[in-house]
Amino acid sequence: KRSRCSFSRLEVILIVCLVLMIALTVVLLALHFLTKDTEGNPVTPLESSRPDSSLLLHPLPAQRPPQPQRWQPAGDPFLVPAGSSSHVAEAARYSVGVGRADCTGPVAQVPLMGYANPDQVGGGLLSRLYSRAFIVADLKDSKRVVFVSIDIGMVSQRVRLEVLKQLRSKYGELYRQDNVILSGTHTHSGPGGYFQYTLFWITSKGLIRPALSSIVNGIVKSIDIAHENMKRGRLFINRGTVENSQINRSPFSYLKNPESERSRYSSNTDKEMVVLKMVDEDGHELGLISWFAVHPVSMNNSNHLVNSDNVGYASYLFEQEKNKGMLPGEGSFVAAFASSNLGDVSPNTRGPFCANTGESCDNPQSTCPVGGAAMCMAKGPGNDMFESTRIIGQNIYLKAKELYEKASQEVRGPLSSAHQWVNMSDVSVELNATHRVKTCKPALGHSFAAGTIDGVGAFNFTQGSVEGDPFWDKIRDQLLGEPSNETKACHKPKPILFSTGEMTWPHPWHPDIVDVQVAAIGSLAILAVPGEFTTMSGRRLREAVKSEFDSHGTPGMNVVIAGLCNVYTHYITTYEQYQVQRYEAASTIYGPHTLSAYIQLYRGLAKAIALNGTQDLPRGPEPPLFNVTSATLLPSLSAERAPAGKTFGGVLREVRPEYREREVAEVTFVGANPRTSAENATEHNFLMVERYSNISSSWRAVLNDASWDTRFYWSKGSRGQSNVTIEWHIPAGTEPGVYRLRYFGHYKKKVSLFRTITVPFEGSSSAFQIT
């Protein structure tokens, strides 16, 4: 007989209970140790951040002194889908806050910043401009990093210094020059006038205080909102390729880079997009930052409507999708599409054509047989600039959405930031063991005045000029002074048009003191660069910094370039591209070794982060903050009048009774200068599209002036009169019903000989049907 071993029912029950008790004990022990930090201190949730002096300097628990060991990001990515059920409290790595605030400013009469075209002044609004702020704080110490992407041409030194001053007054030393990055999206359709250096005053009609204040206040407010809304969260990174959205606008310059270097890349532009996804500890979505290299110049230099261009449209689409049921510009989810190494990258994918003949002008000088360089303009993929903006913006949005949804590589590790102020006009660069070179005092070459195929220059200037023009040189010498022999020799082969580093009246024309900055969030390193790096320049900088991290024990870093940060210094080309002096090289203001100097400086910052030596970095010479007033050539705001028999907001040309989708509903009102509203109101909408609800018997706003389907035009008349036209380009899929267009404004009213007041008003179109 086969022997058998059997257990009684009681024994089985006891064995099962024993197994369950062991399993329960293991689970409880695991949970106990997971909620401890490495020193045995309980990890408590971040205290609610509020502007209270007791919290500002020490807002995070478990403060610890700096550790002497090397800084180490997570070597192996933590591969967990961002939407999975594993988003438990213990998995939170950081405290994360996001915020968005309006920074549009005046939309009328103010020169637009980007094309340097004095005739391109604001005449209305296509979309509002926003500052989008992201704060990441370490749960274990007081370190934090702030990244802000702003819908402006570029961050000026004036903006940077005024923002830091306001942050210091609010938060003490919590937000500083080393851990706050301010990055411009580079839209060429935002107001100018926010610079303190003289060169930028020329095309911006001086310093325009309302524009400067709107930008500074918007940036600070977005940081305030992010600070107030910080919560425990996690970060995920992903990257992918964006197709059919960019071309290299200086391919002949790019070809001057070594063939052995070019052969390593499949394209003459960087097509890669990097997306940083942010969620709270429960997996709820907070926001994203996308870095992608493309110029926001889908809207060309004939445009007069303030807007955020293609990358702004991508932000609009993403935020509208995530903030369901909210008006444009509202909602808690924040999506920033930030700039990168876009220096020679255009969204005008059909390339350059002669505007007068239609033939291609894709040649080294970008000139046309008839009309010269002034006729050579690049075309976008759409039938007009509005359609091209939508196409490119949608391409960018769709790729970002795909990468965001699939993001699974978690960003982990400590936070660190490194910053220096550097005199870029006098940097000694070690090229190798035997050769040292220096940067130069700032200067712009003749090809700077030629512009690009995205926005042509004036007169007879052409790209690729390596010799000066005696006519223009003589005028320069008589008006501004001749460049010194030292500056000429330093910048060769650039023929100098403006020796801005030697021009100091009424203030210096270009900055000497420049910010260089790197912020590390775990295994992500953000290089905040003060200008427009070309494609190959950006590649060399990224590789050099990554190599520096690798060589000091921090392999696997994700290195991204954030463009147009902190102070504007025009372009940065490679040494080889500099030799052919197309627009980008002529605008490389510190000479042929500018890129080498930046690579040396950013390697130093990366090394300091890798070795925990940021506290030992020399601070550098602080930049000046000039005592400038609102010296501007803008016409002053005076009392305004309505036509006889009319009132402000009265309708001059009415809507039609009925429209279909894809048609344009249009109404013209008795208007007032929009500058009055910008200078005397906050959070002000110029227009609303409202739909009548039969259920509530009331009107409900469905669109505002931040929508890309609405347009707000202002036209100045005589004797203090002006008109406003509002358009609604009715998209396919619009819900049928009864609608109306509303206008909100302010006008100046004279009440005595020496006193005027600002009076708000509004107007409304008749109701109309969409069928």
Side-chain angles (χ1 to χ4, degrees):
K1 289 185 180 180
R2 186 177 300 170
S3 62
R4 290 186 302 177
C5 180
S6 61
F7 297 97
S8 68
R9 181 175 301 176
L10 178 61
E11 289 172 324
V12 170
I13 293 172
L14 290 173
I15 291 171
V16 170
C17 289
L18 179 63
V19 170
L20 289 175
M21 288 175 64
I22 292 172
L24 181 61
T25 302
V26 170
V27 171
L28 290 174
L29 286 172
L31 289 175
H32 173 74
F33 285 107
L34 280 173
T35 54
K36 296 267 188 175
D37 66 17
T38 56
E39 295 183 350
N41 298 318
V43 177
T44 56
L46 181 68
E47 289 188 29
S48 174
S49 297
R50 57 186 184 272
D52 183 293
S53 59
S54 64
L55 295 178
L56 295 183
L57 296 181
H58 305 285
L60 297 168
Q63 302 260 348
R64 293 190 295 174
Q67 302 298 305
Q69 72 270 17
R70 288 182 173 180
W71 181 89
Q72 280 282 0
D76 53 333
F78 184 56
L79 298 175
V80 181
S84 74
S85 59
S86 63
H87 281 230
V88 293
E90 291 75 29
R93 305 295 172 188
Y94 305 105
S95 180
V96 181
V98 302
R100 179 185 53 248
D102 184 272
C103 63
T104 306
V107 302
Q109 297 182 304
V110 176
L112 302 186
M113 185 66 214
Y115 291 111
N117 180 357
D119 296 326
Q120 191 189 19
V121 297
L125 184 67
L126 172 60
S127 67
R128 288 204 162 266
L129 309 180
Y130 293 102
S131 172
R132 295 174 171 90
F134 304 83
I135 303 176
V136 180
D138 199 314
L139 285 171
K140 295 182 180 179
D141 58 34
S142 60
K143 291 182 179 178
R144 56 181 60 198
V145 168
V146 183
F147 182 83
V148 189
S149 178
I150 313 114
D151 289 329
I152 55 176
M154 61 285 289
V155 176
S156 76
Q157 193 172 78
R158 184 85 194 186
V159 165
R160 166 83 162 166
L161 294 176
E162 292 202 11
V163 166
L164 289 175
K165 183 178 178 181
Q166 287 198 27
L167 291 177
R168 190 178 304 113
S169 68
K170 284 188 171 188
Y171 301 103
E173 292 301 310
L174 188 62
Y175 300 120
R176 313 168 302 273
Q177 72 272 5
D178 67 294
N179 67 357
V180 174
I181 297 175
L182 305 182
S183 174
T185 63
H186 204 37
T187 174
H188 284 43
S189 298
Y194 55 92
F195 294 80
Q196 68 175 4
Y197 290 97
T198 303
L199 178 76
F200 305 107
W201 285 22
I202 296 173
T203 55
S204 296
K205 298 184 179 179
L207 180 74
I208 303 171
R209 175 55 68 173
L212 173 63
S213 298
S214 296
I215 294 170
V216 170
N217 294 338
I219 293 171
V220 173
K221 183 175 181 180
S222 68
I223 294 174
D224 288 342
I225 295 171
H227 179 91
E228 291 288 331
N229 292 310
M230 293 188 73
K231 55 188 68 176
R232 296 168 64 104
R234 304 171 70 183
L235 308 179
F236 298 85
I237 195 170
N238 201 4
R239 56 183 72 230
T241 301
V242 183
E243 298 290 352
N244 305 316
S245 299
Q246 47 168 216
I247 62 169
N248 193 304
R249 70 184 187 190
S250 284
F252 300 97
S253 176
Y254 179 87
L255 288 172
K256 294 299 179 182
N257 294 306
E259 194 281 331
S260 58
E261 183 179 33
R262 289 185 282 111
S263 65
R264 296 165 49 205
Y265 303 100
S266 60
S267 172
N268 61 4
T269 61
D270 275 341
K271 294 185 176 183
E272 186 176 70
M273 172 185 285
V274 178
V275 167
L276 183 66
K277 176 177 182 175
M278 304 179 182
V279 298
D280 71 12
E281 61 183 348
D282 298 317
H284 298 139
E285 299 174 310
L286 301 177
L288 78 97
I289 309 172
S290 163
W291 289 277
F292 177 61
V294 67
H295 252 83
V297 290
S298 292
M299 300 294 290
N300 62 41
N301 63 6
S302 67
N303 167 60
H304 294 276
L305 298 181
V306 168
N307 69 87
S308 51
D309 214 281
N310 45 43
V311 291
Y313 184 55
S315 287
Y316 168 81
L317 291 175
F318 216 120
E319 290 178 349
Q320 282 295 99
E321 178 191 341
K322 296 298 181 181
N323 297 315
K324 296 288 187 185
M326 308 295 287
L327 288 173
E330 299 177 355
S332 61
F333 188 92
V334 180
F337 284 75
S339 59
S340 191
N341 55 318
L342 48 66
D344 52 0
V345 186
S346 170
N348 295 313
T349 52
R350 287 156 65 189
F353 293 86
C354 298
N356 49 0
T357 65
E359 60 187 305
S360 173
C361 48
D362 189 13
N363 56 65
Q365 280 70 46
S366 298
T367 59
C368 294
V370 179
M375 287 290 112
C376 186
M377 287 285 291
K379 295 181 179 180
N383 294 321
D384 59 25
M385 58 183 170
F386 296 96
E387 186 179 0
S388 292
T389 301
R390 286 180 180 272
I391 292 171
I392 299 299
Q394 187 168 43
N395 287 350
I396 297 170
Y397 153 72
L398 288 173
K399 174 54 67 171
K401 179 182 177 182
E402 173 192 332
L403 296 175
Y404 178 89
E405 291 173 348
K406 295 180 179 178
S408 59
Q409 180 180 338
E410 185 166 11
V411 176
R412 303 195 304 175
L415 305 181
S416 186
S417 55
H419 172 277
Q420 284 181 301
W421 281 304
V422 178
N423 183 355
M424 274 302 294
S425 64
D426 188 26
V427 177
S428 180
V429 185
E430 185 177 344
L431 294 181
N432 52 49
T434 59
H435 287 79
R436 296 189 73 87
V437 292
K438 290 190 70 174
T439 54
C440 315
K441 290 182 178 179
L444 292 163
H446 276 247
S447 294
F448 162 76
T452 74
I453 59 172
D454 291 327
V456 297
F459 305 110
N460 61 339
F461 292 98
T462 59
Q463 296 199 62
S465 297
V466 291
E467 294 182 0
D469 184 302
F471 174 77
W472 293 112
D473 286 348
K474 186 174 181 179
I475 292 177
R476 174 205 63 201
D477 295 346
Q478 291 177 345
L479 294 178
L480 305 171
E482 183 180 0
S484 67
N485 290 332
E486 179 186 5
T487 299
K488 288 180 181 178
C490 189
H491 279 272
K492 278 187 176 180
K494 177 195 291 179
I496 294 175
L497 180 63
F498 300 123
S499 184
T500 52
E502 299 174 315
M503 298 157 63
T504 59
W505 188 89
H507 297 287
W509 282 47
H510 262 149
D512 288 320
I513 310 303
V514 171
D515 295 70
V516 290
Q517 184 180 17
V518 176
I521 304 172
S523 56
L524 171 66
I526 304 170
L527 314 185
V529 300
E532 305 178 55
F533 277 61
T534 60
T535 298
M536 195 62 84
S537 293
R539 288 168 174 169
R540 291 184 188 177
L541 178 64
R542 282 198 304 263
E543 286 192 358
V545 169
K546 193 174 190 312
S547 172
E548 197 70 28
F549 277 116
D550 290 346
S551 65
H552 291 94
T554 56
M557 292 294 287
N558 294 284
V559 180
V560 299
I561 290 176
L564 301 127
C565 293
N566 302 334
V567 57
Y568 185 58
T569 64
H570 295 266
Y571 286 75
I572 299 91
T573 67
T574 67
Y575 177 84
E576 294 84 356
Q577 289 174 299
Y578 188 90
Q579 306 308 307
V580 294
Q581 282 296 299
R582 278 180 63 86
Y583 172 81
E584 294 82 12
S587 305
T588 299
I589 63 175
Y590 299 113
H593 302 291
T594 301
L595 175 60
S596 297
Y598 278 126
I599 288 176
Q600 178 175 288
L601 291 164
Y602 281 90
R603 288 186 77 126
L605 298 180
K607 180 179 179 181
I609 290 175
L611 299 180
N612 273 334
T614 56
Q615 68 277 2
D616 299 324
L617 284 170
R619 182 182 177 91
E622 291 201 25
L625 183 63
F626 302 132
N627 185 24
V628 292
T629 59
S630 298
T632 178
L633 298 177
L634 283 184
S636 60
L637 290 170
S638 55
E640 298 173 271
R641 299 172 53 195
K646 295 285 186 178
T647 59
F648 286 99
V651 175
L652 295 174
R653 187 172 69 246
E654 190 58 271
V655 294
R656 302 201 316 257
E658 187 175 289
Y659 293 92
R660 294 179 179 272
E661 58 184 42
R662 300 185 190 277
E663 292 186 327
V664 180
E666 180 180 335
V667 59
T668 300
F669 297 96
V670 176
N673 194 325
R675 281 175 55 201
T676 304
S677 296
E679 295 178 18
N680 293 277
T682 57
E683 304 299 326
H684 173 74
N685 274 306
F686 288 112
L687 67 89
M688 288 282 189
V689 177
E690 296 179 334
R691 185 175 186 272
Y692 188 75
S693 170
N694 289 319
I695 298 175
S696 62
S697 299
S698 62
W699 293 94
R700 183 177 65 87
V702 293
L703 292 175
N704 57 19
D705 62 7
S707 167
W708 280 82
D709 295 320
T710 60
R711 300 178 192 175
F712 174 86
Y713 294 91
W714 174 77
S715 59
K716 185 179 183 299
S718 59
R719 296 181 298 172
Q721 297 181 11
S722 60
N723 293 345
V724 160
T725 297
I726 292 174
E727 293 180 356
W728 177 26
H729 292 246
I730 305 167
T734 299
E735 186 177 358
V738 177
Y739 292 82
R740 68 179 181 182
L741 306 178
R742 299 190 69 196
Y743 166 40
F744 307 90
H746 298 79
Y747 71 92
K748 290 279 190 182
K749 179 180 180 181
K750 196 164 190 175
V751 294
S752 68
L753 186 60
F754 301 106
R755 182 168 175 257
T756 60
I757 60 173
T758 299
V759 181
F761 67 90
E762 59 185 70
S764 177
S765 74
S766 297
F768 57 91
Q769 187 88 22
I770 291 184
T771 61

